[in-house]
Amino acid sequence: MGPVPTCWTDAMPQQKEEWFNIFRKSFDWPSGLEHVVRDRYNAICTKIYRDLIYKTVRRKKEPEHLKGDAYQGLMKKRATPEFKIKSERGSLNERGGKKEGIIEATHYGGSRSFLDRVLGKGKKKGKVEMTAPEFFVDMHSKVDDKGNRHWTKAKDKELHDAYLRDKENTPNRPDNDIWFDLVEGYKKGSVYETGEAHGVF
């Protein structure tokens, strides 16, 4: 086995193409959606691969699927100064640029997954309970005891205000269409701030 990449982006293009072709044999889609499928495929693989590497490193011993030189090579690469700098930068970004102190909330969704909230799991199973903009409000704001709405970030409120203006100007357009245009549709295989739930809107 050759060197094990520390992230999906660093995997060999030929290997990723081979895996995608295996995936293609199990599913069909219109040719016009090829770029959408590839983007979503890469987004999912990025998360799966990141989780796999994380679990491998946390175990601190060779797993059955990664033995000998491959495992040692992975650990050696993660110990380099270049990787540590990149890792620290990523951790800082996840904390909103703060090394210490309380991090501002980015979502108010609780422990339920994005998809469960959209589908109303525990209510009407499998039924889409809200539109994309309603979901955004649900995840990025909360109402206090006095009925005042608080947003996670100022830019989230600004985005929703822009949606309300567009909706007022085009009242006959579906809410999801207005929202998708506003957030510029799919980026990296998903719609802004919808996570794994984007496919049901």
Side-chain angles (χ1 to χ4, degrees), residues 103-122:
I103 307 173
E104 294 182 4
T106 57
H107 301 91
Y108 290 131
S111 59
R112 295 171 65 195
S113 72
F114 283 12
L115 188 58
D116 282 350
R117 294 183 72 85
V118 173
L119 295 179
K121 191 172 183 180

Side-chain angles (χ1 to χ4, degrees), residues 5-6 18 23 25-26 35-36 63 87 93 111 117 119 122 124 138 140 170-171 173:
T6 56
E18 181 179 337
F23 168 78
K25 292 178 181 178
S26 300
H35 70 290
V36 176
S87 179
N93 289 338
S111 59
R117 294 183 72 85
L119 295 179
K124 298 178 181 178
D138 184 49
H140 291 264
T170 56
R173 287 194 70 199

Side-chain angles (χ1 to χ4, degrees), residues 111-165:
S111 59
R112 295 171 65 195
S113 72
F114 283 12
L115 188 58
D116 282 350
R117 294 183 72 85
V118 173
L119 295 179
K121 191 172 183 180
K123 300 177 183 178
K124 298 178 181 178
K125 189 174 181 180
K127 177 179 174 58
V128 177
E129 295 289 324
M130 60 185 79
T131 63
E134 288 173 340
F135 174 70
F136 183 81
V137 172
D138 184 49
M139 293 297 297
H140 291 264
S141 69
K142 62 181 178 180
V143 179
D144 62 24
D145 295 338
K146 297 181 180 180
N148 299 314
R149 184 173 297 279
H150 301 274
W151 292 85
T152 52
K153 296 179 181 179
K155 70 174 185 179
D156 292 336
K157 182 180 184 304
E158 293 171 0
L159 179 61
H160 189 256
D161 287 344
Y163 156 75
L164 292 177
R165 289 194 296 270

Side-chain angles (χ1 to χ4, degrees), residues 52-77:
L52 177 63
I53 293 297
Y54 176 77
K55 291 177 182 178
T56 298
V57 173
R58 290 282 292 180
R59 289 183 62 182
K60 297 183 179 180
K61 66 177 182 178
E62 294 182 358
E64 290 298 323
H65 64 274
L66 200 62
K67 289 287 188 178
D69 292 343
Y71 176 77
Q72 297 301 326
L74 172 64
M75 300 306 292
K76 183 176 180 180
K77 185 173 182 179

